[in-house]
Amino acid sequence: MAVLINADTKVICQGITGSFGAVHTRGCLHYGTKMVGGVTPGKGGQKDANGLAIFDTVKQAVDETGAEATMIFVPPAFTGDAILEAADAGIRVICAITEGVPVQDMIRVRAVLDEMNISARGADVEPAQDLFTLIGPNCPGVITPGPKTGGDKSAADPYTNNGCKIGIMPGYIHTHISEAKTGKAVGIVSRSGTLTYEAVWQTSNFGLAQSTCIGIGGDPVRGIDHIDCLRLFEDDPETAGILMIGEIGGTDEEAAAAYIKENVTKPVAAFIAGRTAPPGKRMGHAGAIISGGEGTAQSKITALRGAGAVIAETPADMGRAMVEAMGL
Amino acid sequence: MKIHEYQGRDLLASYGVPVPAASVIESIEDAATTYKRVTSEAGTDLAVIKAQVHAGGRGKAGFVKLVRSPEEATEAAKFMLSNKMVSVQTGPDGLEVTKLLVAAGVDIAHEYYLAITTDRATRKNVLIASAEGGVEIEKVAEENPDAIIKTPIHPLIGLQPHQAREVAFRLGFKGKQVGQAVKAMMALSQLFVEKDCSLAEINPLIVTPSTGDAPDGQVLAIDAKFTFDDNATFRHKDIAGLFDPAEENPAELRAQRFGLSYIALDGNIGCLVNGAGLAMATMDTIKHYGGEPANFLDVGGSATEEAVTEAFRIILSDHAVKGIMVNIFGGIMDCAVIAQGIVNAAKEVGFKVPLVVRLEGNNVEAGRAILKEASASLSTLQAAEDLADAGEKVVKAVG
């Protein structure tokens, strides 16, 4: 089990002929992801370097391949449109890797996606199940690790036959539950890319597996947040613990702490980056008004500790904190 | 990205928000004539002279002055253009001032605060208004939060006139003031979205006293502050053109040109990291072991060897730096590129200070091999096992 994606998830890449799109499409193929095609408007009918079909529109790609997930590498100016194109075509998991998307674009995109989800799920369906899940933008993506095969050099000889990587993370640091010494898997959710790799690496070194790792992205307005991921992990039978990585700014971690207190029964460990960051940098005046005294590392740590999470005092301590929370 | 007050005034005026008559000068000689012109247009003898710098604390530093004669205007201009402005926000070295705004003084019956920003929690833009304007809004928020009115703005249809009217009435505007205040709010909201602002602030928005011509007074914007979303300047050439490099830290600017994100800090351990979260976490680690970071530096995901070499140049140009910690967890970033950048920097600038390197992730074996091969030219290099080891080693090496 895992959340959002699994070995059967069929994935396309929007921006497959761009330099990043091409590199990471290959990376995902080598990991073992079921990449089924890509989209670059105007290059429909061609094949990419891996022999994948290229389509002009996401709709065509979905009709031809049955794709359920996408990773978006188009430039920032076109990312908002690419996200909405994917949703219009019925793509379920939309993973926007692109960094530098204007905030106002994301405000509009989120509003449209939220409306699509509300009308798709209907008013009387409980619990609410989102039809479209946006991950990112400005994120490393999402990965459900699979067991190693010994290969990783080509799509024909992939790293795993039973995993799915959608994004830019290094695959080899992740561990499948069948290969974990503890026999337990944790879910990881993080606002930061490389800090997620650090957390994954540490948990792997402690003999833990990862059920699914979700990089939700560092932008102020984005798709799924900590709480969505906590809910997914709480409901996933394979996930035995949750590692949450936040950073200064905003109030998402405080909200997550309140959610954990009410709704999460699984052990939670957390790290908040930016404890030593100087105040005033990157924080606008009016933003500080809205968040009041919240948004500092200390306020987040206090809230999470109050919700029963084990706090990693340093980033080098994330794996150990997870193990402690799980009582291993 | 920030702009100057006079540029903000022009922007507001272009959206139809009235501002008092004003002019920008760059020399002491222009002060007297500009004073005369601005005041005679407005039918007053009062003018205000304000230094045009992004840093706050101008008033306390003596860089905002009320003047009532051409002589006083000249004297104020002389002071501001020949002294560096030192305030809490400029640091001890202060800032050179090259432009002054000379604005007609206006009589004020009441001051208000008006701003729009993005509320991350609700993922909407929000209009913030208060009848307690002219003072620091942070103080109002702390001491009297009920005095602040927050109105969410719909992401797709924008601020609606009925919302602005409600705010205007709650702020206590009366008679013809209401329409003028609503107009200012609607204009600010339109400007905010069209120009991709992250903060648009009018403080104070004022009402002038009742006169024969205008029994309800007139609503005017006295001071304006704008911050723009750096991710969106590509579609606003007009705004991008207002960028003033003189207002930026030279090392931070240099870093930007190479796609690096660098912020100078006060410590003595330089860091080079990929990813903003990991960079913050690396600073946290240094501090945890008793050290002080000299900077925040995120090389990003697609840095070239040249950018990495430049990053080392920037770090080493800070003479307080007594040691460097490199922490790379490659996702997009290729460890071999970082390693080659280190080797190039060693050849070019040389590492006299301890250098602790932790590499993991994408192409790590090649990266480690490059460093091993060049070990002769990297006498101060120590390889670290992991993040904790790197933090411990660099703090120990710096002593």
Side-chain angles (χ1 to χ4, degrees):
Chain A
M1 279 293 285
V3 306
L4 292 172
I5 56 166
N6 59 39
D8 299 324
T9 306
K10 290 180 189 155
V11 185
I12 56 163
C13 175
Q14 285 167 268
I16 192 166
T17 54
S19 57
F20 285 122
V23 165
H24 293 290
T25 295
R26 194 175 65 230
C28 291
L29 274 170
H30 288 196
Y31 187 76
T33 306
K34 287 207 169 49
M35 297 298 304
V36 294
V39 175
T40 295
K43 294 195 179 169
Q46 300 179 21
K47 299 252 188 246
D48 87 332
N50 309 292
L52 292 174
I54 301 174
F55 300 93
D56 285 324
T57 69
V58 179
K59 182 81 172 59
Q60 286 170 6
V62 169
D63 288 347
E64 295 290 324
T65 67
E68 310 139 90
T70 179
M71 57 178 185
I72 297 176
F73 282 96
V74 305
F78 314 119
T79 300
D81 186 44
I83 292 168
L84 293 178
E85 182 183 359
D88 270 339
I91 295 267
R92 191 174 55 84
V93 175
I94 303 165
C95 195
I97 310 295
T98 307
E99 181 180 354
V101 180
V103 174
Q104 295 303 319
D105 287 5
M106 282 314 302
I107 289 177
R108 290 185 283 264
V109 165
R110 242 327 270 270
V112 174
L113 281 183
D114 288 350
E115 269 179 25
M116 287 174 83
N117 276 331
I118 288 166
S119 57
R121 79 162 85 96
D124 52 352
V125 182
E126 284 290 341
Q129 190 64 53
D130 283 359
L131 195 59
F132 305 105
T133 300
L134 171 64
I135 303 168
N138 188 15
C139 81
V142 54
I143 183 169
T144 292
K148 295 178 180 68
T149 60
D152 76 345
K153 294 292 170 239
S154 71
D157 179 24
Y159 187 83
T160 174
N161 284 319
N162 205 22
C164 180
K165 161 179 132 119
I166 304 180
I168 61 177
M169 64 291 281
Y172 80 91
I173 59 175
H174 301 81
T175 306
H176 183 255
I177 192 158
S178 65
E179 292 162 344
K181 266 186 270 157
T182 61
K184 290 192 189 309
V186 297
I188 299 182
V189 51
S190 170
R191 264 162 75 174
S192 150
T194 45
L195 194 49
T196 318
Y197 312 159
E198 185 67 51
V200 169
W201 185 237
Q202 288 178 24
T203 50
S204 286
N205 288 342
F206 270 98
L208 289 167
Q210 299 82 31
S211 52
T212 300
C213 304
I214 310 169
I216 57 176
D219 282 359
V221 178
R222 56 180 176 262
I224 58 169
D225 59 20
H226 285 300
I227 292 178
D228 300 313
C229 297
L230 289 167
R231 174 169 52 80
L232 290 168
F233 288 138
E234 174 70 14
D235 292 345
D236 172 39
E238 192 194 84
T239 302
I242 305 167
L243 178 52
M244 187 185 125
I245 303 159
E247 58 190 48
I248 51 166
T251 55
D252 276 22
E253 290 81 0
E254 285 88 338
Y259 184 86
I260 291 169
K261 214 170 186 173
E262 291 294 318
N263 304 289
V264 177
T265 60
K266 292 177 180 175
V268 178
F271 173 71
I272 303 295
R275 242 182 185 185
T276 57
K281 287 276 179 192
R282 285 211 293 180
M283 283 186 173
H285 274 184
I289 299 166
I290 284 173
S291 48
E294 291 177 318
T296 64
Q298 201 47 55
S299 121
K300 292 170 192 297
I301 288 168
T302 307
L304 285 162
R305 197 170 266 142
V310 175
I311 303 296
E313 293 295 330
T314 78
D317 200 35
M318 292 186 287
R320 197 210 50 77
M322 188 71 256
V323 168
E324 183 192 321
M326 295 171 79
L328 297 173
Chain B
M1 188 196 123
K2 290 181 177 169
I3 59 173
H4 287 295
E5 178 189 0
Y6 73 91
Q7 297 164 333
R9 283 171 42 102
D10 291 349
L11 195 54
L12 274 181
S14 73
Y15 275 79
V17 179
V19 294
S23 204
V24 175
I25 61 168
E26 294 180 47
S27 74
I28 302 164
E29 294 72 45
D30 289 342
T33 50
T34 307
Y35 164 85
K36 283 184 212 157
R37 198 181 69 242
V38 167
T39 48
S40 71
E41 270 173 31
T44 173
D45 67 342
L46 182 68
V48 58
I49 303 199
K50 298 161 120 179
Q52 297 298 290
V53 290
H54 293 175
R58 292 181 302 180
K60 277 187 192 147
F63 282 70
V64 174
K65 281 211 171 113
L66 290 173
V67 294
R68 291 193 178 273
S69 69
E71 292 73 31
E72 282 180 24
T74 304
E75 202 181 316
K78 194 172 170 187
F79 172 78
M80 293 182 204
L81 291 174
S82 39
N83 287 294
K84 280 193 172 178
M85 178 184 127
V86 181
S87 82
V88 273
Q89 288 192 18
T90 64
D93 293 341
L95 272 180
E96 198 176 329
V97 176
T98 57
K99 286 191 177 76
L100 305 177
L101 181 73
V102 183
V106 285
D107 291 326
I108 295 173
H110 196 96
E111 294 182 290
Y112 302 87
Y113 176 91
L114 207 57
I116 297 175
T117 187
T118 300
D119 178 13
R120 301 164 62 140
T122 58
R123 294 178 293 269
K124 286 186 173 80
N125 300 322
V126 55
L127 174 73
I128 300 167
S130 170
E132 297 185 21
V135 293
E136 278 178 42
I137 194 70
E138 290 86 346
K139 258 195 195 136
V140 180
E142 214 171 277
E143 290 163 7
N144 189 9
D146 291 343
I148 293 176
I149 305 167
K150 290 179 195 163
T151 308
I153 299 176
H154 192 284
L156 305 178
I157 59 172
L159 184 70
Q160 297 298 294
H162 75 271
Q163 294 180 295
R165 275 200 305 277
E166 156 129 19
V167 172
F169 284 117
R170 282 180 67 188
L171 289 176
F173 285 104
K174 295 204 168 47
K176 290 204 166 137
Q177 299 166 5
V178 175
Q180 295 175 30
V182 165
K183 208 177 148 207
M185 287 182 235
M186 297 302 290
L188 194 66
S189 143
Q190 189 192 350
L191 190 170
F192 184 91
V193 174
E194 280 181 6
K195 300 292 182 192
D196 281 287
C197 298
S198 42
L199 171 69
E201 182 185 74
I202 303 176
N203 188 23
L205 179 79
I206 62 133
V207 177
T208 58
S210 169
T211 61
D213 291 346
D216 291 329
Q218 205 199 342
V219 175
L220 290 174
I222 298 293
D223 196 350
K225 206 178 270 172
F226 290 95
T227 310
F228 298 93
D229 180 0
D230 291 329
N231 288 349
T233 43
F234 70 85
R235 60 187 175 203
H236 303 293
K237 300 282 178 261
D238 54 339
I239 301 296
L242 302 178
F243 178 73
D244 182 358
E247 288 283 342
E248 308 295 319
N249 175 312
E252 291 174 16
L253 262 188
R254 214 171 116 193
Q256 258 173 38
R257 276 197 289 273
F258 283 83
L260 309 163
S261 170
Y262 171 88
I263 296 170
L265 301 169
D266 294 334
N268 59 6
I269 298 176
C271 1
L272 185 152
V273 190
N274 66 324
L278 192 61
M280 274 195 281
T282 302
M283 287 160 50
D284 294 346
T285 305
I286 290 171
K287 199 119 172 184
H288 178 78
Y289 287 105
E292 283 289 337
N295 65 275
F296 166 99
L297 196 157
D298 170 14
V299 293
S302 48
T304 58
E305 279 172 35
E306 290 73 37
V308 174
T309 309
E310 180 67 15
F312 281 112
R313 272 191 222 118
I314 292 168
I315 290 172
L316 288 168
S317 68
D318 175 356
H319 296 296
V321 169
K322 296 284 177 279
I324 298 175
M325 172 167 166
V326 175
N327 184 20
I328 299 295
F329 212 125
I332 319 182
M333 190 72 234
D334 182 337
C335 288
V337 171
I338 296 286
Q340 197 56 52
I342 294 174
V343 173
N344 295 352
K347 272 187 209 143
E348 202 182 306
V349 280
F351 288 103
K352 293 182 191 72
V353 298
L355 173 69
V356 177
V357 179
R358 185 278 180 118
L359 295 179
E360 201 59 68
N362 185 8
N363 214 10
V364 61
E365 297 306 331
R368 287 184 185 145
I370 290 169
L371 289 182
K372 203 165 175 194
E373 210 164 285
S375 58
S377 65
L378 291 164
S379 59
T380 65
L381 176 89
Q382 300 180 57
E385 290 290 311
D386 55 33
L387 182 50
D389 186 42
E392 230 174 328
K393 273 183 175 151
V394 75
V395 171
K396 204 171 157 199
V398 168

